[in-house]
């Protein structure tokens, strides 16, 4: 007997090749495949007599195969199959292109139902590559009910991993039949009743094989709710568990912080103060902090984290400080070394690639020691603050007494990495085994403002601190949209800026790779397949832009380039040289997006700006305007569409990153906020993340449910589903 949890490998119809493809989509159990929803439907429910069908009309016919044979197309010699179908009213020719297997399944004398479009070509009217399904007939009476591929509203799935809709229907239909009335209801009865939702069994049928489009919509409503509700339960549960764990309370040492802040070369902004206070207050508690510090690029998050770090170190614990890239980690290492200069704090630096560059700051000396030694010292607790990249997440790195983990630019770490880190950082067993101490506090930071709906769902287990204020004296960056004809003027402007001693960033357009369109043989509808991005495509774009700028446009200026295929060493060197004003213009891919500080740069020129998300453009822009010089951001675009205009205009008018992120969510959907996809929310339901009312409602109901029944004892099916969900997102 099969259940929702039966692994798909036990489903006879699914062979090893398909198992692999499904696995790539994260589909491993029957539940997963039943929750792989169609993204649209094709209405083939209207079975018409052959005599009444019209040209170019999508329709469905049912009849007998009078003849069927293989052939080849005249010019290209492509295989084709021809058939003549007859019903009581007439006959029609059917042609399938490039589907040589058709004549193996369909034989003369078979009764069939076919759905597609009638085309008129030189050869006359014919039904072209229709979807088909064999049907039964008694006394010449055709039965067109309960079909899978035609004669009904037919589901069309996102055909990723080359899984055809036909194949998915062929798998899903019998599974649903098999599980009829056996699928446990995971939503509480009260919720179903109050919201007038379809019950699970019916909802699954109606989302895959709807009786009407209205019922499909109703099913979708239920699943949108259900998926969000599950996320809410998962994150709230996570929160509850964390609140039950113990952490080392880190006393709030007001004097220490005052002294440190007093020695800074600048005054903290109110927002920085407030955030730092919230963090220090959190860490005082004997439960692990899980806080997200959000603030625009340049708002000064590092120093806030450093205050938390200092407090932790002075209380006798260690700090792990992680950045998403080598360059950024290095920059932090430098800045933090300077800021902590006279405090007798040992700082270690560790990344995955640069094995040989491992240093320790001791009495203001940077000493290179072996990785082995660094790990030993970390384990003994002699390194107070260990900085680096993901390399710090490895299991072999052990701390003597880790008190705080800081994760910079947390959105750049995948959900899985984040989960692994949180798991590592918060798994009591693990820490108590290794160190005999409690769970460390976790401070994540991001410059990508998270829209409110997302903050309440996938980030709902975090507390938020927001720096919504830039340090004093920063000039507003002048932002302009530049159409092709404005290009020349910009080049002249850039030359002038360089004359004044400034430096320039040029960001190359994102190359999206070939969009290959393949024909869905069944419906002849064109389906976009997955976009394949060659990792070299962006490199090529940078190289071409570099050639153009250095040879044609600015032959008298010094131009360099940067892209993701360079080694960390190469990138580091370029950035360092740029910082030290060794050249004027840096042409780069989006790798510079994250946190590098080049105060002398005053122009950010973004080619193909319409191809980036608003939040990302905002981040690019944040690379300039970090000093007393007036800075500029030029958004170049070849697109004259109203939509592009409106979108880019938001960068000029928006007051802060939050506004932009909400817009991004509205325009591009949540898929752009890295990580959201990994939550395994079906595509069809992703959009419900835009729905504030739904998000708030699910959160409220999840909260109430957990308050009444924290272990979900009264809701076993839901508990089961939640456990599976949590496993999937690596919380368990
Ligand atoms: P982000 O929030 O993007 O990580 P950083 O922490 O890198 O920003 O800070 C950007 C720059 O601003 C750094 O050079 C930092 O030293 C400086 N800075 C931080 N806080 C202030 C402040 N209150 N006043 C002036 N400069 C500041
Ligand atoms: Mg930063």
């Amino acid at each position: 007997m099969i259940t929702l949890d039966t692994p798909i490998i036990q489903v006879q119809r699914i062979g090893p090749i398909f198992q692999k493809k499904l696995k790539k989509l994260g589909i491993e159990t029957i539940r997963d495949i039943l929750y792989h929803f169609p993204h649209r439907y094709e209405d083939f429910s209207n079975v018409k007599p052959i005599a009444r069908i019209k040209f170019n009309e999508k329709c469905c016919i049912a009849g007998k195969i009078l003849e069927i044979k293989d052939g080849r197309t005249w010019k290209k010699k492509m295989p084709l199959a021809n058939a003549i179908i007859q019903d009581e009213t007439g006959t029609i020719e059917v042609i399938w292109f490039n589907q040589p297997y058709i004549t193996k399944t369909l034989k003369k004398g078979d009764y069939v139902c076919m759905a597609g479009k009638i085309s008129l070509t030189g050869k006359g009217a014919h039904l072209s590559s229709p979807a088909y399904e064999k049907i039964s007939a008694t006394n010449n009476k055709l039965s067109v009910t309960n079909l899978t591929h035609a004669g009904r509203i037919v589901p069309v799935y996102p055909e990723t991993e080359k899984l055809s809709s036909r194949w998915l229907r062929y798998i899903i239909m019998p599974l649903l039949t098999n599980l009829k009335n056996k699928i446990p209801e995971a939503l509480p009865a009260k919720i179903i009743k109050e919201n007038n939702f379809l019950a699970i069994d019916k909802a699954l049928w109606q989302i895959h094989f709807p009786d009407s489009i209205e019922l499909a919509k109703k099913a979708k409503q239920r699943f949108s709710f259900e998926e969000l509700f599950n996320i809410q339960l998962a994150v709230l549960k996570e929160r509850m568990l964390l609140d039950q764990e113990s952490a080392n309370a880190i006393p709030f040492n007001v004097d220490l912080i005052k002294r440190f802040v007093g020695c800074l070369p600048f005054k903290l902004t109110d927002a920085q103060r407030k955030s730092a206070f919230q963090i220090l207050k959190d860490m005082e508690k004997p439960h692990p902090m899980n806080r997200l510090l959000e603030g625009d690029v340049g708002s000064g998050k590092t120093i806030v984290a450093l205050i938390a770090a200092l407090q932790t170190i002075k209380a006798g614990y260690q700090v792990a400080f992680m950045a998403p890239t080598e360059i950024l980690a290095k920059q932090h290492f430098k800045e933090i070394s300077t800021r902590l200069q006279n405090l007798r704090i040992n700082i270690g630096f560790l990344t995955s690639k640069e094995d040989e560059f491992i240093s320790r700051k001791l009495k203001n000396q940077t000493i290179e020691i072996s990785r082995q030694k660094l790990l030993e010292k970390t384990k003994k607790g002699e390194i107070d603050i260990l900085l680096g990249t993901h390399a710090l997440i490895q299991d072999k790195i052990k701390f003597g007494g880790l008190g705080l983990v800081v994760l910079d630019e947390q959105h750049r770490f995948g959900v899985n990495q984040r989960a692994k880190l949180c798991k590592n950082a918060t798994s009591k067993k693990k820490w108590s085994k290794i160190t005999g101490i409690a769970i460390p506090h976790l401070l994540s930071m991001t410059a990508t403002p998270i829209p409110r709906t997302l903050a309440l769902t996938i980030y709902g287990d975090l507390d938020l601190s927001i720096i919504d204020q830039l340090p004093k004296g920063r000039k507003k960056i002048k932002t302009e949209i530049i159409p092709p004809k404005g290009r020349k003027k910009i080049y002249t402007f850039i030359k002038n800026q360089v004359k004044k001693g400034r430096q320039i960033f040029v960001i190359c357009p994102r190359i999206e790779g070939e969009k290959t369109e393949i024909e869905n043989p069944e419906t002849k509808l064109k389906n976009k397949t997955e976009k394949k991005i060659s990792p070299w495509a962006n490199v090529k774009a940078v190289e071409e832009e570099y050639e153009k700028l250095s040879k044609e446009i600015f032959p008298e200026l010094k131009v360099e380039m940067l892209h993701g295929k360079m080694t960390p060493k190469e990138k580091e060197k370029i950035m360092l040289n740029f910082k030290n004003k060794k050249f004027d213009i840096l042409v780069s891919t989006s790798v510079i997006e994250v946190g590098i500080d080049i105060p002398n740069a005053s122009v950010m020129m973004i080619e193909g700006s319409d191809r980036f998300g608003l939040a990302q453009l905002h981040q690019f822009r944040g690379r300039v305007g970090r000093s007393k010089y007036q800075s500029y951001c030029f958004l170049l675009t070849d697109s004259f569409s109203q939509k592009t205009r409106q979108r880019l205009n938001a960068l000029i008018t928006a007051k802060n990153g939050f506004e932009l992120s909400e817009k991004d969510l509205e325009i591009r959907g949540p898929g752009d906020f890295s990580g959201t996809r990994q939550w395994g929310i079906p595509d069809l339901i992703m959009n419900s993340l835009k729905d504030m009312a739904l998000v708030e409602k699910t959160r409220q109901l999840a909260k109430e449910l957990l308050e009444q029944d924290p272990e979900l004892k009264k809701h076993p099916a839901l508990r089961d589903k939640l456990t599976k969900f949590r496993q999937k997102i690596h919380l368990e």
Side-chain angles (χ1 to χ4, degrees):
M1 202 189 75
I2 59 164
T3 68
L4 285 182
D5 294 320
T6 305
I8 49 153
I9 44 173
Q10 288 176 28
V11 178
Q12 267 181 6
R13 293 176 161 210
I14 306 179
I17 293 174
F18 283 98
Q19 286 166 17
K20 236 188 183 160
K21 290 183 180 187
L22 289 171
K23 193 160 182 203
K24 277 200 189 145
L25 292 176
I27 297 174
E28 293 180 24
T29 63
I30 290 182
R31 173 188 327 231
D32 296 339
I33 201 162
L34 293 185
Y35 276 77
H36 184 68
F37 297 141
H39 62 157
R40 62 185 181 85
Y41 302 92
E42 211 52 91
D43 189 350
F44 290 140
S45 55
N46 181 12
V47 180
K48 270 190 154 181
I50 288 175
R52 282 186 35 215
I53 51 184
K54 296 180 192 132
F55 293 128
N56 271 331
E57 179 188 51
K58 262 190 224 164
C59 67
C60 192
I61 58 161
K64 185 175 177 177
I65 300 181
L66 286 188
E67 55 182 79
I68 183 160
K69 60 175 192 296
D70 285 320
R72 296 245 159 216
T73 54
W74 182 243
K75 272 191 200 142
K76 292 187 179 162
K77 299 279 176 261
M78 188 205 286
L80 60 81
N82 273 63
I84 305 287
I85 313 292
Q86 182 186 45
D87 73 1
E88 285 164 344
T89 67
T91 59
I92 179 109
E93 189 185 3
V94 181
I95 303 178
W96 288 274
F97 293 99
N98 217 2
Q99 295 182 57
Y101 48 86
I102 292 277
T103 50
K104 297 201 172 54
T105 17
L106 297 181
K107 303 284 181 204
K108 186 174 168 176
D110 284 345
Y111 292 95
V112 284
C113 192
M114 305 226 171
K117 227 183 206 178
I118 306 290
S119 316
L120 186 62
T121 63
K123 296 172 85 186
H126 62 268
L127 195 53
S128 180
S129 295
Y132 60 91
E133 182 163 0
K134 277 199 233 186
I135 54 177
S136 59
T138 27
N139 300 331
N140 261 349
K141 192 105 188 78
L142 304 181
S143 159
V144 288
T145 47
N146 294 329
L147 299 187
T148 309
H149 308 290
R152 66 168 320 123
I153 296 175
V154 171
V156 181
Y157 298 87
E159 303 205 329
T160 35
E161 294 300 327
K162 298 213 172 111
L163 287 171
S164 74
S165 290
R166 187 178 179 88
W167 186 81
L168 283 161
R169 294 195 288 261
Y170 157 81
I171 295 297
I172 292 172
M173 175 68 102
L175 288 177
L176 283 173
T177 311
N178 219 315
L179 284 166
K180 202 157 193 163
N181 302 325
K182 280 186 260 172
I183 299 174
E185 178 57 77
L187 279 180
K190 191 169 156 249
I191 289 182
I192 296 204
K193 196 162 163 238
E194 278 171 6
N195 294 281
N196 193 18
F197 285 145
L198 295 181
I200 183 66
D201 222 57
K202 187 161 185 197
L204 278 173
W205 270 102
Q206 295 302 326
I207 201 149
H208 289 290
F209 298 102
D211 292 330
S212 68
I213 292 297
E214 283 67 45
L215 279 166
K217 276 191 192 145
K218 234 178 144 203
K220 186 186 156 193
Q221 239 173 33
R222 179 211 146 103
F223 289 116
S224 300
F225 181 96
E226 186 177 347
E227 296 297 306
L228 288 187
F229 186 63
N230 278 323
I231 297 174
Q232 302 286 17
L233 280 173
V235 294
L236 288 170
K237 180 87 195 168
E238 191 59 20
R239 183 80 232 194
M240 268 171 67
L241 290 174
L242 206 59
D243 286 344
Q244 285 160 15
E245 297 288 0
S246 53
N248 289 303
I250 296 182
F252 193 159
N253 186 336
V254 183
D255 283 345
L256 172 78
I257 301 303
K258 264 197 180 150
R259 242 181 300 132
F260 177 69
V261 170
C263 291
L264 288 174
F266 46 73
K267 203 166 159 266
L268 290 184
T269 61
D270 289 344
Q272 281 174 316
R273 255 171 225 285
K274 198 171 120 202
S275 299
F277 184 76
Q278 287 170 335
I279 294 163
L280 296 175
K281 274 290 178 202
D282 264 6
M283 295 200 309
E284 263 189 330
K285 294 182 195 137
H287 306 292
M289 164 174 79
N290 191 15
R291 189 170 275 277
L292 179 63
L293 177 61
E294 280 189 68
D296 262 0
V297 189
S299 61
K301 295 181 290 291
T302 320
I303 200 76
V304 175
L306 201 54
I307 289 173
L310 183 64
Q311 181 81 94
T312 309
I313 293 164
K314 288 297 167 187
Y317 302 103
Q318 289 170 290
V319 178
F321 198 124
M322 243 173 296
T325 61
E326 309 259 338
I327 296 180
L328 199 57
K330 195 70 130 322
Q331 186 177 297
H332 280 323
F333 176 64
K334 282 176 191 152
E335 167 155 8
I336 289 172
S337 306
T338 320
R339 296 263 179 263
L340 299 180
Q341 223 162 38
N342 304 314
L343 290 163
R344 299 211 152 228
I345 285 172
N346 285 338
I347 306 173
F349 182 74
L350 181 91
T351 64
S352 56
K353 294 191 185 108
E354 294 190 43
D355 271 33
E356 74 278 24
F357 185 83
I358 296 158
S359 347
R360 185 172 62 116
K361 186 107 185 156
L362 182 70
K363 290 182 191 146
N364 293 336
Q365 278 182 304
T366 301
I367 308 164
E368 289 202 22
I369 56 175
S370 72
R371 163 166 295 218
Q372 193 50 40
K373 230 174 169 172
L374 183 71
L375 293 186
E376 274 167 29
K377 282 182 176 297
T378 306
K379 195 172 171 191
K380 278 198 234 153
E382 287 171 17
I383 300 291
D384 298 311
I385 172 165
L386 185 63
L387 283 144
T389 55
H390 327 44
L392 300 197
I393 314 179
Q394 299 166 74
D395 287 336
K396 65 173 183 213
I397 296 174
K398 309 214 159 78
F399 289 85
L402 188 60
L404 171 68
V405 175
V406 179
L407 196 56
D408 193 17
E409 307 290 350
Q410 62 85 246
H411 65 286
R412 297 295 297 247
F413 292 87
V415 167
N416 289 354
Q417 271 170 339
R418 227 148 54 205
K420 181 169 183 203
L421 174 83
C422 297
K423 211 169 106 187
N424 276 5
T426 57
S427 141
K428 190 168 189 176
K429 248 192 270 153
K430 182 164 188 261
W431 289 112
S432 51
K433 224 176 4 195
I434 298 167
T435 63
I437 65 143
I439 294 171
H441 298 286
L442 177 64
L443 175 65
S444 321
M445 306 198 279
T446 182
T448 303
I450 298 160
R452 227 151 50 91
T453 51
L454 287 192
L456 284 178
T457 43
I458 65 173
Y459 296 104
D461 53 337
L462 302 172
D463 287 313
L464 278 184
S465 286
I466 295 175
I467 308 186
D468 51 5
Q469 191 178 20
L470 289 180
K472 262 212 184 106
R474 297 263 167 88
K475 287 211 171 78
K476 194 171 159 62
I477 299 159
K478 286 192 180 153
T479 304
E480 239 183 280
I481 303 168
I482 309 292
K485 67 176 190 322
R487 181 177 289 277
K488 264 207 172 119
K489 231 173 82 193
I490 298 304
Y491 287 149
T492 314
F493 184 86
I494 287 178
K495 280 181 199 160
N496 280 329
Q497 283 286 307
V498 174
K499 251 185 219 147
K500 286 184 191 165
R502 301 291 81 73
Q503 288 164 289
I504 317 294
F505 282 111
V506 177
I507 304 285
C508 292
R510 181 160 79 174
I511 307 296
E512 304 212 4
E514 301 284 298
K515 278 184 211 168
T516 43
E517 287 203 309
I518 57 155
E519 264 174 35
N520 176 350
E522 241 176 37
T523 55
K524 262 226 135 184
L525 291 167
K526 290 197 168 174
N527 267 321
K528 274 187 199 143
T529 53
E530 227 182 332
K531 290 175 197 163
K532 282 251 179 307
I533 302 170
S534 153
W536 294 102
N538 285 305
V539 176
K540 195 163 155 260
V542 170
E543 280 168 351
E544 281 170 8
E545 184 71 19
Y546 167 77
E547 287 286 307
K548 184 177 120 191
L549 293 184
S550 59
K551 300 218 168 103
E552 290 168 34
I553 316 281
F554 305 117
E556 71 283 11
L557 303 183
K558 278 174 270 167
V559 186
E560 289 284 354
M561 63 174 160
L562 186 76
H563 56 69
K565 284 283 150 191
M566 293 175 158
T567 66
K569 269 245 155 91
E570 287 169 327
K571 283 193 257 182
E572 170 81 20
K573 202 170 148 207
I574 300 259
M575 286 317 292
L576 215 66
N577 285 343
F578 198 39
K579 202 168 179 149
N580 294 333
K581 305 181 194 172
K582 296 246 171 75
F583 59 96
D584 311 303
I585 300 177
L586 179 62
V587 184
S588 172
T589 54
S590 59
V591 290
I592 65 126
E593 183 192 350
V594 170
I596 307 135
D597 224 4
I598 314 275
N600 190 49
S602 66
V603 176
M604 170 59 65
M605 167 168 162
I606 304 167
E607 292 282 357
S609 55
D610 45 287
R611 299 197 201 168
F612 296 99
L614 292 178
Q616 201 181 9
L617 289 171
H618 181 64
Q619 295 222 327
F620 291 145
R621 178 169 60 183
R623 301 289 121 240
V624 295
R626 297 193 152 216
S627 58
K628 57 184 188 291
Y629 309 116
Q630 176 60 54
S631 292
Y632 305 86
C633 176
F634 299 125
L635 305 166
L636 284 92
T637 175
D638 295 341
S639 161
F640 289 99
S641 86
Q642 183 75 8
K643 210 176 149 193
T644 304
R645 271 290 134 131
Q646 267 176 5
R647 220 165 68 78
L648 294 179
N649 252 321
L651 274 158
I652 300 174
T653 52
K655 278 193 260 340
N656 53 42
F658 284 93
E659 229 177 283
L660 289 171
S661 76
E662 302 275 349
K663 277 229 167 69
D664 254 355
L665 181 65
E666 208 176 284
I667 300 167
R668 294 162 66 114
D672 264 31
F673 291 90
S674 67
T676 43
R677 292 239 165 251
Q678 294 171 57
W679 285 74
I681 310 166
D683 279 2
L684 190 73
I685 287 174
M686 270 291 197
N687 273 333
S688 49
L689 275 174
K690 293 182 195 172
D691 184 345
M692 191 69 207
L694 185 63
V695 164
E696 267 170 0
K697 185 169 168 184
T698 48
R699 186 169 179 84
Q700 191 49 36
L701 288 169
K703 227 176 184 165
E704 282 168 22
L705 187 70
L706 281 178
E707 272 160 19
Q708 291 158 11
D709 184 8
E711 301 302 323
L712 298 177
K713 282 189 183 130
K714 285 184 225 134
H715 301 89
L718 183 58
R719 184 182 55 203
D720 204 40
K721 190 162 185 234
L722 191 62
T723 310
K724 297 279 151 41
F725 179 68
R726 286 169 51 87
Q727 278 165 358
K728 211 164 186 149
I729 57 173
H730 303 272
L731 286 175
E732 294 201 355

